[in-house]
Amino acid sequence: MASHSNSDRVTRLFGTLPGNVDVVALSPGETLRYFTGLKMHKSERPTLVFLFRDGSPVVVHPELEGDRIEESLPDAERYTYEDATDPVIAAQGAFERLTDERTIPEPIGAEFRSTRLLEREVFAPDGEEVVDVENAVAAVRSRKDDGEIERMRTAVEIIEGIFQDVFELIEPGMTEIDIETEIKKRVMESDADAYGVGIVTSGERTAHAHANTGSRAVEDGDLVMIDAGVIYEGYYSDITRTVAVGEPESELVEIYNVVQEAAAAARDCVEPGVEFQEIDRAARTVIEDAGYGEYFPHRVGHGLGLEGHEPPYLVEGNDGTLEPGHAVTVEPGIYVPGLGGVRIEDDVVVTEDGSAVLSTSSRDLRIL
């Protein structure tokens, strides 16, 4: 799949939307960055970019952001405001100047997941109709092009290399925080933009599927679960490996083997036309048949890209289908309270005739 320009992406977006939605309001966030190249964080000063089915973008923004917006959207019409007073009221004034000069057709589309009430107070203060464009945005963003996939592949290569280095350092007495610190140090020394996601647990704490990295010290016989990723040129990696420090209990080895089989079964299902929920079912069947069904409490995976978690979601009830360009995680796990847990997570891209697993490090139980 070739790379797409921002204008191509906007065209695809409106091709997915109902015909009565001719304008979409985007606020700072990853969707705005995806469609315009404009990278901004949300603040108390509203910024809104209006994309039109026909015509160039229009931006309402604080005056102090002018240089940034000019660089990314040189052809956009801009309505600025000073924020020496209440920035929302000032932004409303700028929007009123916009509507005095041109018609903004209703309904306005907006992504409810990322648009705050603060922004809605600017462009729809009197209850004007606003349509959620979440599904249309997800349909476009989830189909990664070649350039996006290559960025993700590089992000995976970076974190896998860091994992291999850090595995060599883990020993009894190190704390979970010590281990994560070693990961973060190497991320800072790498080509990555930033550390993306991160959880390190050990021993009985591996039974917590999601937990904060803690101060527990690793002991001989522990499992250590590391879930981490980096951001490279805006795109995430997200992988999990579970290793043993010394010989683990036999049931932990059994659990590991079941998760390894479940992960392989799920990865093998990833191909165009397969329902999202079927990937979850493939892993869950293996885990349930082994008697651990009650200890697999989460979906098997999620989309990956400009965000660490984004559509599509591989979960029971989601009967949408995988398409070429979808990038997802596959991450079954078993978590037994009082004993420990195992998760194996890989990043997978759907291709025209199957799938490509971006993460290549061994999934066999590694005993350090």
Side-chain angles (χ1 to χ4, degrees):
M1 288 163 288
S3 295
H4 298 288
S5 68
N6 292 331
S7 60
D8 289 339
R9 291 172 175 179
V10 173
T11 299
R12 289 166 59 209
L13 173 63
F14 280 103
T16 307
L17 288 170
N20 67 327
V21 179
D22 292 321
V23 58
V24 173
L26 298 179
S27 59
E30 301 310 333
T31 294
L32 177 61
R33 180 178 181 181
Y34 179 83
F35 286 108
T36 70
L38 177 57
K39 182 180 180 181
M40 290 183 66
H41 65 275
K42 294 184 187 299
S43 79
E44 72 279 11
R45 305 179 183 96
T47 294
L48 286 161
V49 176
F50 296 91
L51 302 179
F52 292 86
R53 188 180 291 273
D54 298 304
S56 300
V58 175
V59 189
V60 171
H61 67 87
E63 201 169 79
L64 58 80
E65 296 288 3
D67 291 341
R68 187 202 308 257
I69 290 165
E70 173 70 23
E71 183 177 349
S72 296
L73 292 166
D75 298 326
E77 189 176 354
R78 295 191 282 143
Y79 292 80
T80 65
Y81 65 89
E82 296 180 356
D83 67 337
T85 58
D86 185 303
V88 175
I89 294 174
Q92 287 173 331
F95 183 70
E96 287 171 6
R97 295 199 306 274
L98 162 59
T99 56
D100 285 343
E101 295 181 14
R102 62 184 297 171
T103 300
I104 303 297
E106 291 186 30
I108 294 176
E111 191 180 21
F112 285 13
R113 184 167 66 102
S114 62
T115 304
R116 301 173 297 180
L117 291 174
L118 181 149
E119 281 97 19
R120 187 160 178 163
E121 277 296 301
V122 174
F123 68 84
D126 299 318
E128 292 88 346
E129 183 181 1
V130 180
V131 174
D132 187 7
V133 299
E134 169 80 20
N135 290 338
V137 167
V140 177
R141 276 186 52 182
S142 65
R143 298 285 298 273
K144 306 299 188 291
D145 63 32
D146 290 342
E148 293 175 286
I149 292 169
E150 282 309 305
R151 291 177 177 89
M152 295 174 67
R153 189 186 303 276
T154 300
V156 170
E157 290 173 353
I158 290 170
I159 194 61
E160 286 200 309
I162 290 170
F163 270 28
Q164 297 312 309
D165 288 346
V166 171
F167 288 159
E168 299 296 331
L169 303 176
I170 298 174
E171 61 184 6
M174 288 186 76
T175 67
E176 295 164 6
I177 292 174
D178 290 337
I179 296 168
E180 187 171 32
T181 298
E182 293 294 338
I183 295 171
K184 290 179 176 179
K185 284 166 51 179
R186 285 161 177 76
V187 172
M188 292 177 63
E189 296 165 354
S190 75
D191 291 331
D193 303 345
Y195 186 50
V197 294
I199 303 171
V200 178
T201 54
S202 62
E204 292 183 3
R205 276 175 40 81
T206 57
H208 303 302
H210 271 196
N212 293 325
T213 300
S215 58
R216 182 186 182 279
V218 175
E219 300 175 3
D220 188 60
D222 276 353
L223 293 184
V224 176
M225 186 190 302
I226 304 177
D227 182 342
V230 301
I231 306 168
Y232 176 75
E233 295 186 357
Y235 285 81
Y236 277 76
S237 56
D238 182 10
I239 67 172
T240 305
R241 291 292 183 264
T242 305
V243 296
V245 180
E247 291 291 337
E249 293 184 32
S250 59
E251 187 175 359
L252 291 173
V253 175
E254 177 186 343
I255 288 171
Y256 191 98
N257 292 336
V258 173
V259 173
Q260 185 179 26
E261 181 183 350
R267 290 194 309 274
D268 287 346
C269 278
V270 177
E271 60 181 36
V274 174
E275 291 182 355
F276 301 128
Q277 63 187 357
E278 290 298 333
I279 312 304
D280 186 272
R281 290 173 180 173
R284 202 165 300 276
T285 297
V286 172
I287 291 173
E288 288 176 346
D289 287 350
Y292 290 101
E294 66 181 294
Y295 303 116
F296 179 19
H298 57 76
R299 65 194 174 203
V300 81
H302 54 81
L304 194 66
L306 283 169
E307 297 173 270
H309 284 214
E310 61 181 46
Y313 300 107
L314 311 183
V315 64
E316 181 65 34
N318 189 349
D319 60 1
T321 57
L322 291 164
E323 299 177 15
H326 278 152
V328 298
T329 66
V330 174
E331 49 180 306
I334 295 173
Y335 316 90
V336 181
L339 178 64
V342 172
R343 180 163 65 250
I344 299 172
E345 177 182 17
D346 290 286
D347 299 343
V348 186
V349 173
V350 183
T351 62
E352 294 291 340
D353 56 1
S355 64
V357 183
L358 302 184
S359 38
T360 61
S361 56
S362 175
R363 300 167 194 93
D364 293 335
L365 178 58
R366 180 168 179 165
I367 298 177
L368 305 178

